[in-house]
Amino acid sequence: MSADLVCGLQWGDEGKGKAVDYISENYDVVARFNGGDNAGHTVVHQGNTYKFHVIPSGVLRGCLGVIGSGVVLNPDSLEEELHQLDGSERIVISKRAHLILPSYKLLDQKLEGLKGSKVGTTGRGIGPAYAFKAFRFGVRVGDLFQTGLEEKLSEARRLVESLNVEWIEPDVKHWKEILAPYVGDDYKVLHEAYLDGQRILFEAAQGFLLDLDFGTYPFVTSSYTFTNGVHAGSGFNAKKLGDIIGVSKAYTTRVGNGAFPSELSGDTADHIREQGAEFGTTTGRPRRVGWLDLVALRYAVRVSGCNKIFLTKVDVLSGLDQVGLVTAYEVDGESVSDWFDFSQGALERVKPVVKWCDGWENALVEGKLHKNLLTFMETVEGTVGAKIQWVSYGPSDHETLCML
Ligand code: IMP
């Protein structure tokens, strides 16, 4: 019996979609437990490109896809995703998942306007959906199919209007049609699958550094983005988790605002952004780029319990004479490398200490990883304390090397 987790170790967009698609070959069930359509996974599968927001990409390989209680769901956006599939896929959506009501997007904008320093959200109404849930004014998927829906919507409407935001009536009749075939009980499905000996893969959205508690608050998302979210967001017994597979790019990107110690600008940044097509899947925004930050990565590995790393996009760095790795921060004249323990203000002041590695013209030479890339990977493993088990050197599923 096995239940493992794939989570991002950075600020999202690490290539989790590809990692899950590749790894899910070995699983029967793939489950999401956090976030909503703020996430964007691009998956190239058998020559076709898919863009997923909430549907676990493993459904392409015939896995059962579970959308857990901790997810916030926009049924209109889900409908668009469903159009990419041929209808044979098996999907269960938790009746406890909260709905993203249309007014939440307006509220998301309004909240951004009220902040001195904007978070730079995806504008999908994610924060408001989690806030309404915590206020106990949320409307859940299961409510659509029960008596009392009108009263729940009126409550939400009263709260929305009390915040001077326009109420937009959701088309609940249509939402019911979209969701009816899929509504179920995530924890039961997962528990039964586990007892039945099926292999379960949990797929986190966003990344460790965007976690509501352990990320770079307040420039974070509103959910639990790694191991901490599995139990809360799916009801699956977290004690039964096996491997924690962390996905990291060979460099770092960030969309939205907030400190970014290893950030680059100029030609190297442009090279990486262009080669890596670093533009947001959900918003199209150009991503900020920087060297791989091992101080932050080690923090993510330690707190998440990550024991295996899936390293992505090593090909994007091809052609650079030298490749940087941030191994420490200089703070007020002192070098700090052990724990990532900074307030937002302090993080903005740190200066990265860069270790330079010789670059590689091509990631692969005669079917083997370039020796300079191997040296780069050894430094990463030695510093963060987890093994790199997979290396991805291109967008397609076959452009992946398993290091075992
Ligand atoms: P929200 O999740 O839309 O509230 O946005 C909060 C922060 O998380 C912003 O900085 C977003 O850019 C970031 N964010 C949310 N989802 C993703 C993602 O899937 N990839 C990368 N960044 C994300």
Side-chain angles (χ1 to χ4, degrees):
M1 290 198 270
S2 79
D4 303 317
L5 163 69
V6 169
C7 59
L9 295 174
Q10 299 168 302
W11 280 293
D13 308 317
E14 298 91 349
K16 293 181 295 295
K18 165 160 178 178
V20 171
D21 184 46
Y22 184 80
I23 297 171
S24 63
E25 200 170 34
N26 304 317
Y27 294 87
D28 306 297
V29 181
V30 184
R32 274 278 303 270
F33 57 86
N34 78 303
D37 60 338
N38 49 347
H41 293 174
T42 305
V43 182
V44 181
H45 182 73
Q46 295 181 344
N48 296 319
T49 302
Y50 298 82
K51 290 197 190 283
F52 290 122
H53 296 289
V54 290
I55 296 178
S57 43
V59 298
L60 293 174
R61 289 195 190 270
C63 295
L64 169 68
V66 176
I67 296 177
S69 303
V71 170
V72 287
L73 193 76
N74 177 341
D76 295 321
S77 149
L78 175 79
E79 188 181 27
E80 283 175 29
E81 282 181 70
L82 288 166
H83 283 324
Q84 301 175 89
L85 304 175
D86 67 13
S88 64
E89 297 77 11
R90 296 171 303 138
I91 297 169
V92 173
I93 299 175
S94 169
K95 59 187 181 190
R96 275 175 296 277
H98 278 246
L99 293 165
I100 301 178
L101 301 180
S103 295
Y104 293 174
K105 283 193 189 173
L106 300 179
L107 189 50
D108 203 343
Q109 272 172 26
K110 174 153 191 170
L111 293 170
E112 282 282 77
L114 290 174
K115 277 192 99 48
S117 189
K118 294 186 199 326
V119 176
T121 72
T122 58
R124 300 290 171 121
I126 304 297
Y130 283 113
F132 269 57
K133 170 176 170 173
F135 284 144
R136 284 140 302 160
F137 274 71
V139 184
R140 310 204 285 184
V141 167
D143 293 331
L144 289 174
F145 303 93
Q146 280 174 1
T147 52
L149 173 63
E150 285 308 311
E151 177 51 24
K152 292 216 155 61
L153 286 170
S154 309
E155 282 176 9
R157 177 178 188 151
R158 284 200 288 276
L159 182 51
V160 164
E161 289 180 340
S162 77
L163 299 165
N164 292 326
V165 169
E166 183 195 346
W167 172 254
I168 304 171
E169 197 65 37
D171 184 350
V172 288
K173 186 167 170 287
H174 185 54
W175 282 10
K176 279 164 81 160
E177 284 164 12
I178 300 169
L179 297 174
Y182 308 110
V183 180
D185 237 327
D186 50 348
Y187 79 91
K188 271 194 209 154
V189 171
L190 292 166
H191 188 70
E192 282 168 11
Y194 186 79
L195 290 181
D196 190 37
Q198 294 185 37
R199 295 149 305 171
I200 304 170
L201 185 64
F202 289 92
E203 176 181 346
Q206 288 81 47
F208 184 92
L209 297 170
L210 289 171
D211 183 77
L212 185 56
D213 284 327
F214 290 92
T216 47
Y217 190 89
F219 298 94
V220 293
T221 191
S222 303
S223 67
Y224 304 114
T225 59
F226 58 98
T227 335
N228 58 353
V230 173
H231 203 165
S234 75
F236 183 77
N237 183 349
K239 271 166 75 179
K240 299 197 188 309
L241 275 184
D243 284 333
I244 313 288
I245 300 160
V247 186
S248 171
K249 282 179 187 165
Y251 51 94
T252 310
T253 61
R254 179 162 203 179
V255 244
N257 299 327
F260 187 169
S262 70
E263 187 164 15
L264 290 166
S265 57
D267 290 349
T268 310
D270 292 343
H271 173 92
I272 296 175
R273 190 177 299 107
E274 293 302 323
Q275 295 301 310
E278 296 297 354
F279 299 88
T281 315
T282 302
T283 58
R285 289 181 284 181
R287 296 178 183 142
R288 300 157 68 194
V289 299
W291 295 128
L292 183 56
D293 181 341
L294 298 183
V295 183
L297 194 67
R298 179 158 58 177
Y299 167 60
V301 164
R302 283 176 168 176
V303 180
S304 66
C306 163
N307 61 322
K308 291 179 178 175
I309 294 178
F310 194 118
L311 188 70
T312 61
K313 293 194 150 183
V314 296
D315 55 308
V316 171
L317 300 179
S318 298
L320 295 173
D321 290 341
Q322 288 199 303
V323 174
L325 281 171
V326 171
T327 52
Y329 297 156
E330 234 169 61
V331 197
D332 305 326
E334 275 186 48
S335 171
V336 181
S337 62
D338 197 26
W339 278 98
F340 184 95
D341 183 15
F342 301 98
S343 67
Q344 177 60 27
L347 203 56
E348 264 157 11
R349 282 189 292 116
V350 303
K351 290 202 172 43
V353 177
V354 180
K355 176 183 163 78
W356 294 103
C357 305
D358 289 335
W360 46 91
E361 196 52 48
N362 287 302
L364 232 55
V365 181
E366 292 170 5
K368 294 207 170 114
L369 293 179
H370 191 290
K371 66 174 180 21
N372 293 347
L373 173 54
L374 285 171
T375 308
F376 170 92
M377 286 164 48
E378 277 162 20
T379 308
V380 174
E381 292 179 331
T383 311
V384 307
K387 274 279 185 219
I388 298 173
Q389 179 148 347
W390 300 271
V391 182
S392 155
Y393 55 91
S396 294
D397 38 6
H398 66 268
E399 291 171 303
T400 307
L401 214 70
C402 182
M403 302 301 289
L404 279 185

